[in-house]
Every structure is written in structure tokens, then in C-alpha cells.
Amino acid sequence: MAGIMPFGLKIAIISRVFRKKMDEKASAMGLTYVQLRVLGSVSRLEEAGWGEIHQNDLEEIEHVTHPAMTKLLQKLEKKGFVECVPSSIDRRYKKITSTEKSSGIHKMILAQDKEVFDDLCRNFTQEQKLALLQMTDILLKNIDSEVF
């Protein structure tokens, strides 16, 4: 049956299953997968040496709207995972930083992501896994290069 399914439906099913498995892992921390992804982005940018991380940076990385990111950050701040303080560079923006509770969390997320990926690809050869990752990178590059 999977062979006759449209590509979009296949991707949607894979996305839902992947998200469900990651949501289960995130729930152990009292978070959703989306919240965990945002924390991972903050943690990753901090480790990369970004001076200040602003909400608009996260909106672009996560491909979400300003109102959606505002709600996400408010929830994460309330739960003690991030701090949002006025930027020292531009007072119109808030600087977003990890708290001790979430510092370096991107490493844990990468491990969980790999665990779920490996589970979903359990019948793949290493070459097939690598090819899949390479093809999805090309798809993402195509998406990022589109002008809407």
C-alpha cells in the first residue's frame, strides 16, 4: 500500500510518527517536542558562540510565526528553561538564554533524534540511512531557497 501513496501523505505520516515518538521523550521533562526543539536551537546557538539570540532568530530557524514563538517562549520561561531579558544591543528585542536547567540540552536532543531515526530506519543499511539524510538535506535546501 505504501507504494501507491502520494509522496505528501508519506511525508505527513513519517512526520506524525516521528513527532509522536519525540513528544513521548519530551513529556518526561514536562515539555512538548516543539518546545524541546526551540530549547535545542537556543542551546545550539549558545554553544556556537552567538552573542545574543533573539526571538526573530528562532522564528526563522524553526519556521514559525511571531505569535507562535512568543507563546512558546513564554511557556518555556514560565517552566524555567529560558530567560528573556531586554537586549543590551537593541532594547526593542529580548535576549533569550538557556537556564541551568536547559544548558547544553541540544546534545540530549540529538541523541534522542538519532534513537528515533534509527528505530524508524531499523531495516535500512548504513548506506540507505546516509542517502536518506543527504536527500532530505537537498529538499531542505530547496525549501530554503524558495521565495514566497
Side-chain angles (χ1 to χ4, degrees), residues 67-85:
M69 186 58 71
T70 298
K71 285 183 181 179
L72 277 166
L73 290 171
Q74 287 170 346
K75 288 178 182 178
L76 289 171
E77 188 171 30
K78 186 176 180 180
K79 292 178 180 186
F81 287 99
V82 296
E83 289 181 344
C84 301
V85 297

Side-chain angles (χ1 to χ4, degrees), residues 19 33-35 37-38 41 54-73:
R19 183 177 175 159
Y33 175 51
V34 174
Q35 292 169 337
R37 262 195 357 241
V38 171
S41 292
H54 301 132
Q55 180 171 332
N56 57 336
D57 299 321
L58 297 172
E59 291 164 8
E60 187 175 318
I61 291 166
E62 296 293 329
H63 295 270
V64 299
T65 64
H66 182 76
M69 186 58 71
T70 298
K71 285 183 181 179
L72 277 166
L73 290 171

Side-chain angles (χ1 to χ4, degrees), residues 3-77:
I4 59 172
M5 254 188 232
F7 176 74
L9 180 56
K10 291 177 184 180
I11 292 294
I13 291 169
I14 293 166
S15 176
R16 280 194 302 270
V17 170
F18 193 91
R19 183 177 175 159
K20 181 179 183 269
K21 289 178 179 279
M22 290 300 286
D23 262 330
E24 289 167 1
K25 293 180 179 297
S27 70
M29 297 177 66
L31 298 168
T32 66
Y33 175 51
V34 174
Q35 292 169 337
L36 195 58
R37 262 195 357 241
V38 171
L39 285 176
S41 292
V42 173
S43 175
R44 208 172 36 257
L45 293 173
E46 286 175 338
E47 188 169 278
W50 277 47
E52 283 195 3
I53 302 162
H54 301 132
Q55 180 171 332
N56 57 336
D57 299 321
L58 297 172
E59 291 164 8
E60 187 175 318
I61 291 166
E62 296 293 329
H63 295 270
V64 299
T65 64
H66 182 76
M69 186 58 71
T70 298
K71 285 183 181 179
L72 277 166
L73 290 171
Q74 287 170 346
K75 288 178 182 178
L76 289 171
E77 188 171 30

Side-chain angles (χ1 to χ4, degrees), residues 117 124-138:
F117 178 77
F124 286 32
T125 64
Q126 281 303 114
E127 293 78 21
Q128 288 171 324
K129 284 183 185 180
L130 182 59
L132 176 60
L133 291 171
Q134 290 170 336
M135 287 185 275
T136 54
D137 285 343
I138 293 168

